[in-house]
Amino acid sequence: MRLLMIGDVVGRLGRRAVKENLPGLVRDEQIDLVIANGENAAGGNGITREVALELFAAGVEVITMGNHVWNKKEIINYIDRENRVIRPANYPPGAPGAGFGRFQTRKGVIVGVVNLSGRVFMPDMDCPFRCADAILEAFKGKSSVILLDFHAEATSEKAAMAYYLDGRISAVCGTHTHVQTADERILEKGTAFITDVGMTGPQDSVIGVKKELVIEKFLTQMPRKFEVASGLYQFNAVVIDVDQESGRALNIKRIQNYE
């Protein structure tokens, strides 16, 4: 079976990239399940119900989030009602929504999708490693194919997580830094890994933001409200082949489409 993981969708331009690229990819690559990180999908900062529905209408089947999950207040009520939107599972107990779920592909195969946040250079969270252990225990006997969106800043933390879960999970896909890395591989025990899937959003930008605003902030060290850039888009994703019986990854390849 084949999974498609789309890198952080940023703003209106990122959503357009999804709409224009996804149907052809699903058809040509024979994708069984589409997952996208949507934590920057609404104006580059959070997500709303309307934006989530727009991504679902475009063909996304599961939306993962990250450290900006609560930036649009309306998501707090929506995420409890919509199980296709998951937030990092290592938020403390009592946070709205769920951090993982089981989703059925077009062929009827159950796939587990997990969202976790890193802790290095990130907001304080519960331990993602111990949280992953607890989730995998809950998946036992229910899902052989499991994908983790690990939303983290430090490349070392992402690699450590991938090796920690090697052989226990189908894929560890890093998100958050908005720059696609060229290190996709299958680890020794059968887990696919990439440090960062990349960004689906404005090409001519600093990780999705108008470049002049970011440059100004670096030059002046003054507060500056960031805005999503315009222009042409890029579409970053990975396609992962998985043996649906064993859950072992067979192949991972990067997708880089530019408008």
Side-chain angles (χ1 to χ4, degrees):
M1 64 176 303
R2 278 191 163 174
L3 309 176
L4 178 70
M5 176 72 204
I6 302 172
D8 301 51
V9 179
V10 178
R12 187 185 306 274
L13 202 55
R15 302 196 306 269
R16 181 162 69 83
V18 171
K19 291 177 192 175
E20 294 183 4
N21 284 265
L22 190 51
L25 270 174
V26 169
R27 179 189 66 244
D28 297 342
E29 299 285 349
Q30 298 183 338
I31 302 297
D32 294 296
L33 188 71
V34 179
I35 305 111
N37 185 286
E39 74 137 13
N40 297 118
N45 202 341
I47 197 168
T48 64
R49 175 181 179 275
E50 289 70 23
V51 166
L53 292 176
E54 185 179 340
L55 290 173
F56 290 140
V60 174
E61 291 159 291
V62 185
I63 297 174
T64 54
M65 298 295 289
N67 56 299
H68 294 304
V69 59
W70 312 125
N71 287 29
K72 306 295 186 191
K73 288 186 170 34
E74 66 179 82
I75 195 64
I76 293 173
N77 293 323
Y78 177 63
I79 203 169
D80 268 334
R81 304 194 306 270
E82 179 52 82
N83 63 4
R84 293 176 295 173
V85 179
I86 59 176
R87 46 78 177 164
N90 53 327
Y91 271 99
F100 61 94
R102 297 167 64 236
F103 304 92
Q104 186 168 300
T105 70
R106 298 166 182 80
K107 297 175 182 175
V109 179
I110 300 299
V111 175
V113 180
V114 184
N115 193 190
L116 288 169
S117 175
R119 296 194 293 182
V120 180
F121 309 123
M122 298 283 282
D124 288 340
M125 303 284 275
D126 292 345
C127 177
F129 293 83
R130 291 182 174 86
C131 187
D133 285 338
I135 292 169
L136 294 187
E137 189 65 30
F139 274 140
K140 271 189 178 176
K142 298 176 182 177
S143 302
S144 296
V145 180
I146 304 170
L147 179 143
L148 166 63
D149 174 352
F150 191 33
H151 199 77
E153 182 79 30
T155 56
S156 60
E157 190 178 19
K158 294 179 183 181
M161 178 65 80
Y163 283 112
Y164 184 67
L165 297 179
D166 186 21
R168 297 194 283 156
I169 195 169
S170 306
V172 175
C173 296
T175 58
H176 179 65
T177 63
H178 292 203
V179 178
Q180 189 179 80
T181 53
D183 62 341
E184 74 280 10
R185 61 196 185 275
I186 307 297
L187 301 182
E188 181 182 0
K189 297 176 183 177
T191 294
F193 172 57
I194 184 168
T195 299
D196 204 282
V197 179
M199 178 189 72
T200 295
Q203 275 189 58
D204 190 22
S205 70
V206 177
I207 60 172
V209 176
K210 289 181 177 180
K211 55 186 182 294
E212 58 272 18
L213 301 181
V214 180
I215 293 169
E216 180 185 339
K217 182 173 176 61
F218 278 119
L219 286 171
T220 66
Q221 290 298 300
M222 295 298 292
R224 193 69 171 89
K225 182 181 179 181
F226 287 163
E227 300 173 27
V228 178
S230 56
L232 303 177
Y233 67 66
Q234 65 184 51
F235 179 93
N236 287 172
V238 288
V239 174
I240 304 165
D241 292 327
V242 182
D243 182 282
Q244 66 186 50
E245 298 300 325
S246 67
R248 289 176 63 93
L250 306 173
N251 189 53
I252 178 172
K253 72 174 180 178
R254 288 180 290 127
I255 302 290
Q256 290 183 325
N257 291 345
Y258 295 93
E259 189 175 24

